[in-house]
Amino acid sequence: MGETLVIRQPRLGEYYERVTQVLTDAFSQMRGAVLDGRAVVVVLDDRDLLGQGTVADAALATGLLGLVRAFALEGARPGWRVNALTHRGEEGDVEDHLDQLAGSALTGQLLRVGTEHLGRVWP
Amino acid sequence: MAVSAASSERGLAVVTGAAGVLGTRIAARLAEDCHDLLLVDLDPAVSDTAEKIAAASGRSALACVADLTSAQGADAVARAASEGGGGVVVLVNNAGITRDGRIGDLEEADFAAVVEVNLTSAMRLTLALEDLLADGSAVINMSSRASLGNFGQANYVASKSGLVGLTRALALRWAPRVRVNAVAPSLIDTPMAHSMPERVLEKLVSRIPAGRIGLPDEVASIVAFLASPEASYITGQAIVACGGRSIAA
């Protein structure tokens, strides 16, 4: 097992035309990692999962979360470890949780740091 | 510039992917609900679809053959939609494709094609129509239960999950003027479902608590509801229509 692949959601702002390429690149990176036996953690902005930012950032964040679920589902038998972690702007808060998630046997999990997501839909 | 909905009884509805089975049923249902139609598809057969629906419903139904993966295609739809002068009251982003494959085998080009058609093109068209959307109008994005995760469809899952984010962001951005929602069907009786091996389809249907595949008319009814004033307090939501599959073991 090598180093964990950490994919941090890039900010697209209003550049929605980039969504296809960024998701495709993420897919390729994630595939390469899991086939090498590496764990994957995708770090997302929780606000984008709820659509509180731009259209492009929301589409990208939820698209990446979909990828995490697809990889975890398909990788259940071979033991791929693919998870998502969210923050709300202060990404430094997630580093400890990121290490814990990367080192665990969990897969297909969405860990939402903080409490501001409570009372809102589960993405 | 916002325009008001007044040119026809319930205004113009734009439906993409309208040459397909599901798009046709959605369009026909919206015509029954007194919407005039602009039907969009890459397939020229959409012209026949428009003629048939117009004949059956008595509503105006125009066809627009356009490739929504380009800005020119989206602009062509916007020009066609603006010709009536009454704005757009309903937009249904229904166009979609599949290029299934296990993650280890999926070509990058197939991954990108599905995301581009199902997700990025929906964003492109919706934003191109922004100034034409009438006060009180509704946008409905066709997502999928697969947005929650599915085997052998990483590209489709990412695209349909992305559509849910798109739905939420536009709902917040355009509230209270425009409502934006998504429908997330599971197996529906369309050529897309029947493109899989029969034994696989039977196995999937056996896992659906409702005990059967869904019907295009059932999805069209949800779209019609979300498009109607009956859904006036619903925005930013994804309605999962899966016969209970998303909660079953």
Side-chain angles (χ1 to χ4, degrees):
Chain A
M1 280 194 297
E3 189 179 342
T4 297
L5 171 66
V6 178
I7 293 181
R8 298 175 192 277
Q9 174 199 335
R11 311 306 306 182
L12 299 186
E14 300 295 337
Y15 294 103
Y16 70 87
E17 298 276 3
R18 289 185 59 205
V19 167
T20 299
Q21 189 59 54
V22 173
L23 279 174
T24 305
D25 289 346
F27 167 75
S28 298
Q29 289 181 58
M30 291 167 69
R31 174 167 61 181
V34 297
L35 293 179
D36 281 347
R38 299 164 62 196
V40 177
V41 179
V42 179
V43 181
L44 305 168
D45 189 320
D46 203 81
R47 295 165 298 190
D48 289 321
L49 289 181
L50 296 181
Q52 294 170 355
T54 69
V55 172
D57 286 327
L60 178 60
T62 50
L64 287 169
L65 179 59
L67 265 187
V68 168
R69 289 170 170 158
F71 269 77
L73 191 60
E74 199 164 322
R77 190 167 293 175
W80 298 347
R81 292 175 298 130
V82 184
N83 295 289
L85 182 62
T86 72
H87 61 85
R88 292 186 74 90
E90 296 297 327
E91 203 179 319
D93 294 346
V94 306
E95 292 305 321
D96 289 345
H97 301 289
L98 197 157
D99 290 341
Q100 290 168 359
L101 204 50
S104 80
L106 294 171
T107 193
Q109 304 303 309
L110 170 61
L111 178 59
R112 304 175 80 182
V113 177
T115 57
E116 292 179 58
H117 61 280
L118 298 172
R120 295 173 175 82
V121 297
W122 189 258
Chain B
M1 178 189 70
V3 290
S4 62
S7 69
S8 67
E9 213 165 320
R10 282 185 66 181
L12 180 67
V14 178
V15 181
T16 71
V21 171
L22 187 55
T24 298
R25 286 312 308 154
I26 290 169
R29 175 56 195 267
L30 291 172
E32 289 168 16
D33 287 353
C34 301
H35 286 285
D36 289 338
L37 299 172
L38 176 61
L39 304 186
V40 183
D41 206 295
L42 187 60
D43 184 346
V46 72
S47 298
D48 294 337
T49 303
E51 281 182 24
K52 287 175 183 169
I53 291 176
S57 67
R59 309 300 311 181
S60 167
L62 301 175
C64 179
V65 177
D67 178 0
L68 299 176
T69 64
S70 72
Q72 293 89 339
D75 290 344
V77 176
R79 280 196 301 277
S82 67
E83 284 176 2
V88 174
V89 171
V90 177
L91 167 62
V92 183
N93 285 309
N94 170 67
I97 60 170
T98 56
R99 298 279 190 277
D100 295 351
R102 297 179 70 158
I103 286 169
D105 303 324
L106 195 56
E107 298 285 344
E108 277 190 27
D110 286 335
F111 185 95
V114 168
V115 173
E116 181 65 27
V117 172
N118 296 2
L119 175 58
T120 307
S121 295
M123 275 190 278
R124 184 178 295 115
L125 178 63
T126 307
L127 294 172
L129 293 179
E130 178 173 3
D131 288 346
L132 292 172
L133 290 169
D135 290 351
S137 58
V139 176
I140 296 109
N141 296 314
M142 295 306 299
S143 179
S144 168
R145 186 215 57 85
S147 64
L148 303 173
N150 220 20
F151 193 93
Q153 291 191 307
N155 46 3
Y156 192 74
V157 171
S159 68
K160 294 299 186 179
S161 183
L163 272 176
V164 175
L166 165 68
T167 298
R168 292 174 182 148
L170 286 175
L172 291 175
R173 177 165 163 169
W174 289 343
R177 198 174 72 81
V178 178
R179 292 182 299 106
V180 186
N181 290 291
V183 180
S186 185
L187 277 177
I188 302 299
D189 194 3
T190 65
M192 189 182 284
H194 290 286
S195 67
M196 67 180 81
E198 194 62 30
R199 63 178 178 78
V200 174
L201 181 59
E202 286 174 6
K203 187 176 177 184
L204 291 175
V205 170
S206 72
R207 295 176 181 166
I208 300 174
R212 62 175 176 81
I213 197 167
L215 303 176
D217 281 343
E218 292 175 308
V219 177
S221 293
I222 300 168
V223 172
F225 167 68
L226 290 172
S228 76
E230 300 296 314
S232 56
Y233 204 50
I234 301 175
T235 195
Q237 306 304 309
I239 309 288
V240 181
C242 63
R245 165 107 187 270
S246 62
I247 57 169

